[in-house]
Amino acid sequence: MHPLGLYISVPFCRSKCTYCNFASGVFPASYMERYIGRLSEDLQSAAAFTPANTLDSIYLGGGTPSLLPPQLFTTLFRTIRDQFEVLQAAEITVECAPGQLPDDTLQAMLECGVNRISFGVQSFIDQEARATGRLHTRAVALADLRRVQQAGIARVNADLIAGLPYQTEQSWLESLQVLCETQVDHASIYMLEVDDDSRLGKEVLNGGARYFAPTVPSEDAVAEMYLSAIETLASAGWQQYEISNFARNRAESRHNKKYWQREPYLGLGVDAHSLLRNPDGAAVRFATTDDLEGYLQSPAWYDRRTLTQQEELEEAWFLGLRLNSGVSLRKLEAEFGTAAIAAFRSVINELLEDGLLLESNGSIQLTPHGRLLSNNVFERFLLSGVSA
Amino acid sequence: MDSKLIRNFAIIAHIDHGKSTLSDRLLELTGALTAREMQAQVLDAMDLERERGITIKAHAVRMMYPAKDGQTYQLNLIDTPGHVDFSYEVSRSLASCEGALLVVDASQGVEAQTLANAYLAINHGLEIIPVINKIDLPSADIPRTREMVEQTVGLDGNDAIPVSAKTGQGVPDILEAIVHRLPPPKGDPGAPLQALIFDSWFDAYRGVIVLARVVNGTLRKGAKIRLMSNGRVFNVESMGVLTPKPVEINELSAGEVGFFVATIKNVSDTKIGDTVTEDDRPADAPLPGFEDIKPMVFAGLYTVDSHEHTLLRDALEKLRLNDSSFFFEPESSAALGFGFRCGFLGLLHMEIIQERLEREFNLDLITTAPSVRYKVTMTDGTLLEVDNPSRWPDPSEIEQVEEPIITATILTNEEYVGGILKLVEEKRGRQKNFEYVSPTRVMLTYELPLNEIVLDFYDRLKSVSRGYASLDYHLSGTWISPMVKMDILVSGEPVDALSIIVHRDHAYERGRALVSKMRELIPRQQFEVAIQAAIGAKIVARETVSALRKNVLAKCYGGDISRKRKLLEKQKEGKKRMKRIGKVDIPQEAFLAVLKVGEESSR
C-alpha cells in the first residue's frame, strides 16, 4: 500500500495579501489553540478510516503556519505521530512568511522533525512585495533563507509570482537573479491569477485603481515573464519538473508530485482536499469547509465523490501532463486499457501538430508554449462536458 | 343583442404609455373581474398553461357596462399588437372596431407609433377618443398634451379625457365616452355571413381558435363555414366570448366579437384579414383589406450543435402552428452545416422567434445577418429574387438590382433632429418631408432602403436621440441600387454564413466597421486569426485577433483538483456555444456582428 501524504492547512495570517485567493485571513490568536484541538480530533478520526497509516510526506500550508506558537507545533506533531507512522525519510515541509519565523518556533520545528521550509517570498523587489501587502524586504527574506539552512533545514523553497503590481520584465529578471544566487534548492514560479477570488484580481477585472491594479503587467507580459523564468532558471542549472515547480540537485518536492501522480493524500484543516483509494482501488476525493468558524463548530466532510473510471482517466491526463516527465502511454494503457488510450490519439496528434505537445520515448509532454496554454490542452482531454 | 347597445373599440398607445393598466382598470370597473379576481385569473391562466400547455390569449374581451342612461351596453375591447413589424395585424384589429381610445402619456406626448396607428384608425373611419394618461405624475402637463393631440393628430384637444389608469382617476369618464361618443356597429344580422378574422392561434386540445368580428349576418354554432381566401370549409363546433374567462354561446350576430373552434388543424388556414362566410349562403364578396402578408426580413437559423438540426426543424414546425407569418425552408451552409432560411415580418419578429426557440425548445442557435429580398435582373433578362447572400449571382451576370424601400416617419424633439438627419443620410435616406408638428416636435418623413433599417438602424436612432425618437414605417417600392456581396474571410477562408449584401459606395466603410466589431467578439485563440472583408477578390478591410498567450492555472492550493476540473469544464462548456470553423471558435454573437457595428466598442 502506498504511503500517504498529509496536508494540513493553517489559515492564520498577520495580514491578507491583495493577490490572495485562499481561505486564509487574520483571526484572533485564541483561534489557534481551538484550531489545533480540532485538528487533533480530525487526525484521530482520519487515522481510523484511512487505509494506509504510514506517512512519507507532511505539508503544513497556509496561511502562515510559522505563526503557530512553538508549543502548538509540538502538540500537533505529537498527535500526528500518535496516530500515524511517519517514515524516517518522510519529507516534512512548513510554509513560512519571511520575517515571521521566530527562533523558538524554528527550534520547535526542528524538534518536530521538519526538514523542509517553503518561503512565500513572491518578489525580491521591495516595492513589489510592499504593494501586495507582503511585510518583508529583500534583506529580510535573504537573511531568513540563510538562517534556516544554517539551523539545519537542508531543503528550502522560495515562491515567486510573475504579474505583481509594478513588475517589469527587468525587475522580474532581477528577482530571478537574486533567487539563483541563494542556496535554496526549490522554487515555485506562479503567475498572478486575475479572478474574482482576490481583491487585486477583482480590481484588475473591474478596471479599478486600488491595490495598484493599474500597474499590473498585461497577460501577454506575464506570459513572457514565465518563459524568461524557464530560460533563466534552466541556464542556472535548475530543472523544471512541473508547470510551476523547479528544483536544483533533484530536490523535487515529494508532496507536490503526489497531486499530479494521483497518489493518496489526506487533507485536514480549513479548505483542505483529500484523495484516498477504496479497497477496490477507486479514487475518492473529498474536502473540508472553507469557512473557519464552520470548521471549528462542526466536523464534516464535503464534496465526497468516488471518481468514475472515465474521470480518473481524464485526471491522469490533465494532472499528469503538468509534469515535465509527462504521461507515459505504457503506464496509462496498463491502468486504463489500450482501447481507452487509443481514443485520444486524434486529439494528441492534433495537439502535436499545433506544437502544444511533444511525444518522446513513449510519453506525451507539454511544450513550453503548451504549458502557457495548458488549460486549452487539458480541456481536450475531458471526455464529457459536465460531471455532477 | 341589439346592435345599438354594442360598442367595439381598440386601445392605441405607445409602449409604456399604460395600455395594459388601463385595460385592467376597465375590466375591473365593469365588474368583468374584481381586483382580486384579476390576480386569481392571471394565476389560473398561468397554471392552465403550465399544466396543459394551452395558450390562452385574451385578445378580445367582452364587458357589460351599465351606463348612466340606465341601459347596459356590451363593450368589446379588441387588443392590437404594439410594434411596427405587426402593422398589418393592427390594421385588421382596427377594422374590427368602430372606435378607438388614443392613449397619450401626459409627460411624454404623442409618439410615432401611436401617431401612425391613430392615422390608420382615422383612415378606417374610426371615431377616436383621446385619453391623456398618467396625470398623477408630477411631470404631467395636461394643457400641453391637449395641444399636442390637436397639433399632431388633428383631433380636438378639448375632447381628451385626463385619467390616471394607475389610480383609477377619470377612468369612469372613459366608459361613458365609449357609450356616447363611439357609434354602434352597423350591419345586417339577416344578410349572408361576413366575419373578419383578426387573430387565431393553435390550442393543443381544441385545434385552431379563431377570433372574429361579425360584420354582416349571424355566425351560429354547428354552421358550415367557408374561409373566402382559400375556399376551405369547416364546421363550427363551439363558439364563445372571452370575459376574459371563456364563456360558451350559441351565436354571434352582426356587430359582435367572439371566438369559434371549427376542427381547423392548421393556423395557416386562418389568415388574418380573411372573411368567414356560410358555405350554403356565401356572401357576394369578401370584406376589403385582406392581404397575404409576406416576410420582409430573412436570416439563416442554425444550431450550434449540428446534431440538433432535426430538433430545430421540429421546433420551427411547432412554432409555425401558432404563427403563420414566418416561413422557413431548409438551406445549408459550408460553414454551419444544415439549417433553415427563415422569413420574418421584421427584426422584432425575428428576435421573438429566435428567443422562443432558445427558451421553449432549449436550442443553442446561430442566426446569420438579416437580409432583405432583392430583385436581381440578369444580363440574359431573367429575374431572380435573392434574400440569401450566399445565393448572390456572379457580378458579371447582373444587369441591375432593385432593393426594397420603406417610407419612415420619425417623430422627435427638435434638439435631436441634427443627429437623426446625419443618421438617415448615412443610411442613404431621401427626405420626403420635414415638419414641425408643434413648436418643439419635428416629424421627419424619409425614404430609406429596408436593408439599412434591418442592419443597425433602431439602436442607432435610439442612441442619437437618447430614446426620444419614435419610428414607424411601411414598404413603399424599390430603388435600383449598385448592391454588391461582401464576403468575410476568417484565417483566409471565406465563411459563407457571414456574407452580407451592401451598397457599393458604402462597402469599404461597412467592411471596416464589421471586421473591427468581429475582432472584438472573437476571443483570442491558440493562433493568430485574420478577419478580412472582401468584395470579390479585393480585400477591403482586415483586422487581426492576436494569439492567446496564456491560459494556465499555476497554483494548486492543498491539492484542490476539483477546482481545476470545474474550471476546465466551464471552459469547455463555453466553447460548445461557439461554432468551430476550421480551427477557429466563433461565438454566436459574431454572426450578428453586423447588427452591432454601431455599438460602442468594449475593448
Side-chain angles (χ1 to χ4, degrees), chain B residues 176-433:
Chain B
E176 283 299 309
I178 289 170
V179 165
H180 296 294
R181 282 159 63 177
L182 300 188
K186 297 185 191 98
D188 176 1
L193 176 67
Q194 282 178 310
L196 176 68
I197 299 178
F198 61 88
D199 200 3
S200 70
W201 66 89
F202 186 81
D203 177 298
Y205 292 85
R206 309 181 70 183
V208 176
I209 298 177
V210 182
L211 277 180
R213 151 74 195 269
V214 180
V215 177
N216 281 307
T218 303
L219 179 63
R220 289 186 181 84
K221 188 171 164 179
K224 198 192 244 188
I225 53 160
R226 187 196 297 174
L227 304 179
M228 293 188 81
S229 75
N230 54 24
R232 288 180 180 256
V233 175
F234 300 96
N235 279 314
V236 176
E237 284 185 331
S238 67
M239 52 196 300
V241 293
L242 302 167
T243 69
K245 302 165 213 171
V247 173
E248 298 250 335
I249 54 169
N250 289 324
E251 63 170 54
L252 287 168
S253 69
E256 289 189 307
V257 172
F259 69 84
F260 68 86
V261 176
T263 55
I264 306 173
K265 290 197 184 68
N266 205 333
V267 81
S268 58
D269 283 337
T270 55
K271 292 198 163 76
I272 290 174
D274 199 358
T275 302
V276 181
T277 191
E278 267 177 300
D279 193 43
D280 297 342
R281 191 168 69 117
D284 292 342
L287 296 163
F290 175 72
E291 279 173 38
D292 213 351
I293 41 173
K294 292 194 182 75
M296 306 219 289
V297 175
F298 303 83
L301 283 185
Y302 293 83
T303 51
V304 177
D305 179 351
S306 49
H307 296 106
E308 290 186 339
H309 167 254
T310 50
L311 295 180
L312 174 57
R313 191 191 54 215
D314 293 349
L316 285 167
E317 276 166 5
K318 280 197 187 120
L319 280 190
R320 228 190 106 79
L321 285 178
N322 247 326
D323 182 353
S324 58
S325 60
F326 83 97
F327 97 104
F328 63 94
E329 63 185 22
E331 75 167 3
S332 68
S333 143
L336 301 178
F338 291 108
F340 297 90
R341 193 74 191 164
C342 303
F344 309 96
L345 298 177
L347 265 193
L348 178 81
H349 189 211
M350 173 174 119
E351 278 165 26
I352 291 172
I353 299 278
Q354 196 187 331
E355 200 173 313
R356 291 190 63 186
L357 288 169
E358 290 187 337
R359 270 212 214 146
E360 295 171 29
F361 298 91
N362 204 18
L363 293 167
D364 251 338
L365 293 181
I366 289 172
T367 310
T368 65
S371 167
V372 301
R373 182 169 279 174
Y374 298 92
K375 285 185 192 147
V376 181
T377 310
M378 307 292 284
T379 44
D380 66 4
T382 53
L383 190 73
L384 293 180
E385 290 206 329
V386 184
D387 59 54
N388 185 346
S390 67
R391 299 247 172 93
W392 196 254
D394 190 288
S396 64
E397 292 169 13
I398 296 177
E399 180 68 38
Q400 69 168 37
V401 178
E402 285 171 76
E403 61 171 335
I405 296 304
I406 54 147
T407 299
T409 309
I410 300 168
L411 255 182
T412 190
N413 292 343
E414 198 179 28
E415 65 235 70
Y416 304 116
V417 166
I420 292 173
L421 288 182
K422 218 173 124 203
L423 174 66
V424 289
E425 296 298 329
E426 183 196 319
K427 295 293 181 186
R428 303 190 281 131
R430 292 180 195 164
Q431 196 176 92
K432 290 279 144 196
N433 197 20

Side-chain angles (χ1 to χ4, degrees), chain A residues 224 314 354 372 376 382, chain B residues 549 551 559 565 571-572 583:
Chain A
E224 286 306 321
E314 291 169 348
D354 292 351
L372 271 172
N376 285 35
L382 293 188
Chain B
R549 286 303 315 278
N551 179 19
R565 175 182 279 277
Q571 179 180 303
K572 187 164 181 164
K583 283 199 158 194

